[in-house]
Amino acid sequence: MSWPADLETALLELPPYLPAFEPAYWNDPGESLAARHVAPRSKGSARATLPITSEGAYRIISVESGLEYNWAIVIDGLLRPEYMVEQPEPICFYDIDGIEREHTFDFFIVTADSRRIYIQVKPLIFVERGFWDSTMKLIASQLCADHADEVLLLTEVGLHPDTVANAKLLRYVRRCPPLAAEDVVLDLLASAGATSTIEELVAASGLGGVAFVAALRLIDRGWLVVFEEGRIGYGSRVFLAAARFEHPQRVI
C-alpha cells in the first residue's frame, strides 16, 4: 500500500527534528536502585516515577506521595546531588526503650561537596504530633561519622511554588545539548560588568529563545547566579559567578 502523493510530499518536507529539545534522560533511563520497592497502587497517597541525574547517568526513582515528588524535583533540580537514591538500605537504631529497630528513609543523597544526607519527607501535620521529629533526632544521634553526615526531616513548609517551578525549569533545560549561545550570553554579561536581566541578554544576543535556554543552562551549572529570589524568568537579574570570569572552554 503506497502513501498518497500529497501526504508523502508533506512528510518529506517536514523540518528535521530539533535535537535541542530531545528528552535525553527519558531515553532508556536506568532502573531504580531502591532497597524497598514502592507499591504501584495506594488508596491513601500518590504514586509516581521521575528521571533524575545521578553519578553522571539518568535513572528512574519512585515516590509515594505528591510531597515526595516535589521534594525529589527540588533536590535534583536545585541541589544537583552527585548521587541520589530513594528508599535506601534501612538504618538500624535503638529506640528510647533500648529496643533495636529499623527505619528506611525516603532518600539518601551525596552532595557535590561529598556530604552524605538521609532525608525523611513527611507532612507537617504528622511532624507536629512529635513522633517524627524525635525519631529523626534519635537516629541522627546514633549514626556514626563514616556512615552519614546529616539527617533531614522535610515537610511542605518552605517548599514554595516558585522553588518547585525553578527546579522543574532547570531540570528541563538539562535535556538540551550544549549550545553555542551559552558563550554569547557569557560574553555579553562579562562585557556588561554588572547584573543584567535575562531579557536584556536575550535581546542583545539577537538569538531569541535559544539565548533564554542558554542562560538557564548556565544558571543550572552555576556559571550564572540569579540575583533575586522568586521564579526564574526573563525579568530575573543575573551576574557571573566569580569562578567563571575566565572561561577559555565553556561549552560542555
Side-chain angles (χ1 to χ4, degrees):
M1 183 176 180
S2 61
W3 292 102
D6 57 341
L7 179 58
E8 183 178 10
T9 301
L11 290 173
L12 290 174
E13 291 177 352
L14 284 175
Y17 183 67
L18 185 61
F21 299 101
E22 180 181 357
Y25 58 66
W26 287 352
N27 293 343
D28 300 320
E31 296 182 356
S32 168
L33 299 179
R36 180 183 73 82
H37 292 292
V38 172
R41 294 182 180 180
S42 172
K43 294 182 179 180
S45 60
R47 296 290 185 268
T49 60
L50 67 153
I52 62 163
T53 50
S54 181
E55 296 185 312
Y58 301 116
R59 183 164 45 78
I60 287 292
I61 67 170
S62 299
V63 294
E64 296 180 290
S65 70
L67 186 59
E68 279 187 30
Y69 179 85
N70 282 334
W71 271 117
I73 290 286
V74 168
I75 292 167
D76 182 54
L78 300 184
L79 189 56
R80 292 198 67 167
E82 291 293 322
Y83 175 76
M84 179 176 180
V85 65
E86 83 281 26
Q87 304 297 317
E89 293 289 342
I91 295 295
C92 293
F93 72 102
Y94 292 94
D95 66 15
I96 57 175
D97 297 317
I99 300 173
E100 186 176 18
R101 300 189 181 277
E102 285 188 348
H103 178 75
T104 300
F105 282 89
D106 292 314
F107 303 109
F108 173 74
I109 67 172
V110 180
T111 66
D113 59 355
S114 300
R115 289 187 61 79
R116 299 152 300 170
I117 304 175
Y118 281 101
I119 298 174
Q120 183 69 49
V121 178
K122 284 293 175 186
L124 181 62
I125 188 173
F126 295 137
V127 175
E128 288 179 334
R129 294 174 182 173
F131 170 77
W132 283 105
D133 188 50
S134 59
T135 300
M136 293 301 101
K137 290 178 180 178
L138 192 62
I139 294 174
S141 70
Q142 296 177 32
L143 282 176
C144 57
D146 59 356
H147 196 117
D149 299 294
E150 193 173 354
V151 170
L152 289 180
L153 177 58
L154 303 177
T155 70
E156 65 271 28
V157 176
L159 194 60
H160 195 279
D162 287 351
T163 303
V164 179
N166 289 342
K168 289 180 177 179
L169 186 64
L170 297 182
R171 274 170 45 89
Y172 177 80
V173 298
R174 289 177 198 168
R175 304 181 194 180
C176 305
L179 301 172
E182 293 169 32
D183 280 349
V184 176
V185 170
L186 284 171
D187 288 337
L188 286 170
L189 197 50
S191 299
T195 63
S196 296
T197 66
I198 295 178
E199 183 176 20
E200 290 168 344
L201 294 172
V202 170
S205 73
L207 299 173
V210 174
F212 178 66
V213 174
L216 293 176
R217 282 177 50 81
L218 293 168
I219 291 169
D220 181 46
R221 300 205 305 280
W223 291 21
L224 297 189
V225 180
V226 181
F227 188 71
E228 304 100 344
E229 296 182 356
R231 193 163 301 202
I232 299 172
Y234 276 85
S236 299
R237 299 193 67 81
V238 295
F239 59 91
L240 279 176
R244 298 300 176 182
F245 278 100
E246 297 296 332
H247 41 267
Q249 184 63 40
R250 292 164 293 197
V251 175
I252 60 174

